[in-house]
Structure formats: structure tokens, C-alpha cells
Amino acid sequence: MIKSVFLFVLIFVTVCSAQTDIGGDIFGVLTAAGSPYRVIDDIRVPPDSSLIIEPGVILEFQVPPYHRFVVDTGAVLKAIGTESDSIIFTAADTIVGWLGIRFYCADSACSLAYCRIEYGKARETATEGNGGGIYAWKTNLLITHCYFYRDSASDNGGAIFARDDSIFIEYSRFISNSAGIAGGGIFAWSPSTIISNHFEDNRADQGGGLYLRLYSEVNNNTIKDNVAYTDFSGFGGGGIHIEQGRLINNIIMGNVSENNGGGVIAYSGVLSIEKNIISHNEAGNNGGGLYSIGVEKVSNNLIMMNSATQYGGGVYTVNTGQVFVNNTITNNTALHGGGAYFE
């Protein structure tokens, strides 16, 4: 196994034709002057070390075999690009891909800004099947102004998988990502703040755009043209599957679920669904726009032009104690309860 490293590195760096080969443990700074970097082995920021990646850096992961970028226990990664000079993580072979950035109990100072993360493919067993672009375990992570494109996971979290710590994502785009089970764009089993992002053309069995299990604040996002293709009873969520938290001021449109909740499927831990535009979504079973089980409050939403094959073209809800007020529900269609169906 070749051990190529940069700056304060352990063995050597190969520079040829204005490119740099790297592999093994890296820390210090990856400079734009050394870019592009050909990643020819797994790379790792070792425990309690730090790595800064400068704007304009390109990391291209080579094959064979199939390489990953590990940020280990207590380590810090700061990949901070600029609006005009982003940092790119990509694969030399876009079919084979690479195994993404994998944070394992990394330091809470880790952050990514103005990064493009593309063609990450998590397709191995256990945890390696989660998080095509980013896998974050017990890592408090900040992501801002990033672009996730055609990342995929055989299990959960096509672009991002996060578990057991908080994650904050803002002003980022998730386009054409996919997961075999849940969360084509994002799968979060951790508290999440998701603000002012764009999710489009993502796909998964459940939660085509997002699948959020713990408390989440989901505000001011556009969630459109995503697909949940499960036909298993009770599941779905073409745009978003959310179990706890608040869903406020989002545009949720053009999403499709082959089962329930074309736009949204929401459960009893959700405190409120407010001030959203939920339109032109489709469900193969119930709840074309919104499928709600036990949500405390649904208010001040515009729910229009959605459709369901069975019940609740606009809304299907199960909760006799729910506060359901000041919603505009118009031009929705279903076999039963075109506008809304309350069970």
C-alpha cells in the first residue's frame, strides 16, 4: 500500500505534471498550489490532528481499489472554499466512485463550506453502506454552501448519513442522490438543523429527499421532484419523512411516493407543520400532499394540486386531538377525501 502524504507528512509526496499523489495519514494544509491531488490510497486525518484544505483544491479519488477519506477520533477537518473557488471531492471513475468523507468521533470544530462532493458511493456492508458523500458518527458537523451530486448509498443517506450527534446544514444543494433504504439526500438519526437548502431529484425507498428520525428544525428549504418508491404499507414520504421537530416555511412540490405522503410523511413527535407550500405532490396510496400521524399542529399551510390514489388528496391525518387551523386546501384529488381525510 502506497503511503503518500502532504506537508507534515509521514513518508512522501509524488508530484508529476502539476498534480500530486497522496495517500495514508495527512495533516497540516492541502494547498491550492499542489492541486489537483490524485488520491491513490485511503487517506486519514489521524486522531487529534487537523487538516485545512484551501479554496480551489481538487481531490480526485482513483481506482482500483475503492478509497475513502477518514477523519478520525478528535481530528479536525476544515474544508473552506469560497463562492468563486470551491473545493471539489470527486472520483476518477464516476461509475465506481469513492467511499466519501467518513467522520468517526471527530472534533466538533469540523466544517465544510463551498465544497462539491460528488460520486461518493457507499455500497459495502454494515456502516460502510451508509452515507455516500458524508458519513458522520458522533461528530457535530457544520455544512454550509455545499453541493452534493450523484452520491449514493446501498442503505441510508445517499449524500449524508449522520448519527449520535447534531448536524447543521444550510444553503446547500442536494441533486440526484439516492439511497437503497432511506434518505436519498439526507438520513439523520441525530438532532438536525436544516435551513435554506435545495433538494431535487433525490430517490430512496423511504424519504426520497430527507429521512429525519430525531428532533429536526427544517426551515425555508425547497424540496422538489424527489421520489420514495416503497410500496410497503405505512411508509413513503416522497419529499420528506420527519418523526420529530418542526417543518416551517418550506416549498414542498412535485414529489412522488409510491405509497403514502407524496410530499410529507410526519409522525407524532412533530410539533408543528406551519407556513409551508405543499403542492403538486402525488401518493400512490394516501396523503398526496401530507400524511400525518399524531402531529400536534398543522397551520397556515397552502396545500394545493396534490393527488392520492386512495384517501386524502391534499391531507391524510390520524389524530383526533390535532390542531388543524388556517390551512388553505384547494384543487386536490383522491378517490376518497379529495381535499382532506381525517381518520
Side-chain angles (χ1 to χ4, degrees):
M1 181 173 61
I2 297 174
K3 294 282 187 180
S4 299
V5 283
F6 183 76
L7 196 61
F8 307 119
V9 257
L10 301 180
I11 302 182
F12 64 85
V13 174
T14 302
V15 180
C16 179
S17 301
Q19 64 186 22
T20 308
D21 289 355
I22 61 173
D25 287 351
I26 58 174
F27 48 96
V29 180
L30 285 182
T31 66
S35 182
Y37 294 90
R38 296 175 70 252
V39 182
I40 57 175
D41 199 350
D42 288 352
I43 55 176
R44 181 182 74 144
V45 184
D48 303 315
S49 300
S50 64
L51 176 67
I52 295 171
I53 303 178
E54 290 187 340
V57 165
I58 300 172
L59 289 93
E60 184 183 71
F61 289 76
Q62 308 298 305
V63 292
Y66 181 51
H67 303 311
R68 72 204 72 199
F69 187 158
V70 172
V71 185
D72 220 329
T73 305
V76 176
L77 172 65
K78 287 189 175 294
I80 311 297
T82 67
E83 185 174 5
S84 61
D85 209 6
S86 61
I87 296 167
I88 298 174
F89 300 84
T90 190
D93 185 327
T94 60
I95 303 300
V96 175
W98 60 296
L99 194 47
I101 306 172
R102 313 193 74 75
F103 295 87
Y104 299 122
C105 302
D107 191 274
S108 61
C110 291
S111 59
L112 295 92
Y114 293 103
C115 294
R116 180 182 176 105
I117 300 172
E118 60 184 18
Y119 303 113
K121 297 181 186 296
R123 58 172 179 267
E124 299 182 11
T125 59
T127 59
E128 299 296 289
N130 298 311
I134 289 177
Y135 175 92
W137 181 58
K138 294 187 176 180
T139 300
N140 188 343
L141 188 59
L142 169 64
I143 298 170
T144 181
H145 294 94
C146 290
Y147 186 83
F148 294 84
Y149 178 69
R150 290 194 178 277
D151 297 307
S152 63
S154 59
D155 295 340
N156 303 301
I160 296 175
F161 177 97
R163 182 162 185 174
D164 295 342
D165 212 328
S166 62
I167 188 165
F168 188 101
I169 304 170
E170 63 176 0
Y171 301 112
S172 295
R173 295 176 63 83
F174 295 79
I175 309 297
S176 300
N177 304 286
S178 63
I181 299 176
I186 297 173
F187 179 101
W189 203 329
S190 57
S192 307
T193 303
I194 299 171
I195 299 175
S196 300
N197 302 284
H198 185 99
F199 297 85
E200 184 173 353
D201 189 35
N202 303 286
R203 303 173 63 88
D205 196 53
Q206 307 169 47
L210 305 92
Y211 189 101
L212 308 174
R213 299 217 56 184
L214 296 186
Y215 188 90
S216 300
E217 290 284 348
V218 184
N219 303 332
N220 298 306
N221 301 278
T222 297
I223 303 169
K224 66 182 298 254
D225 298 338
N226 304 284
V227 177
Y229 48 79
T230 184
D231 59 2
F232 188 76
S233 176
F235 294 99
I240 180 171
H241 169 121
I242 181 169
E243 298 184 14
Q244 301 179 44
R246 302 176 192 273
L247 188 66
I248 300 174
N249 282 325
N250 301 280
I251 297 172
I252 302 167
M253 62 181 296
N255 303 285
V256 176
S257 170
E258 293 187 7
N259 196 359
N260 296 319
V264 181
I265 190 165
Y267 291 89
S268 58
V270 176
L271 300 177
S272 62
I273 298 174
E274 301 180 68
K275 301 178 181 178
N276 301 283
I277 297 172
I278 303 173
S279 71
H280 296 86
N281 303 285
E282 302 176 19
N285 197 14
N286 303 318
L290 168 64
Y291 183 97
S292 164
I293 302 177
V295 174
E296 288 190 17
K297 183 179 181 181
V298 178
S299 68
N300 298 294
N301 300 284
L302 173 59
I303 303 172
M304 61 179 290
M305 303 296 290
N306 303 284
S307 65
T309 301
Q310 295 298 322
Y311 293 86
V315 178
Y316 178 99
T317 186
V318 181
N319 183 358
T320 55
Q322 181 183 79
V323 176
F324 193 94
V325 295
N326 297 326
N327 298 287
T328 300
I329 303 174
T330 182
N331 292 322
N332 303 281
T333 59
L335 183 63
H336 307 282
Y341 185 91
F342 295 88
E343 183 177 324

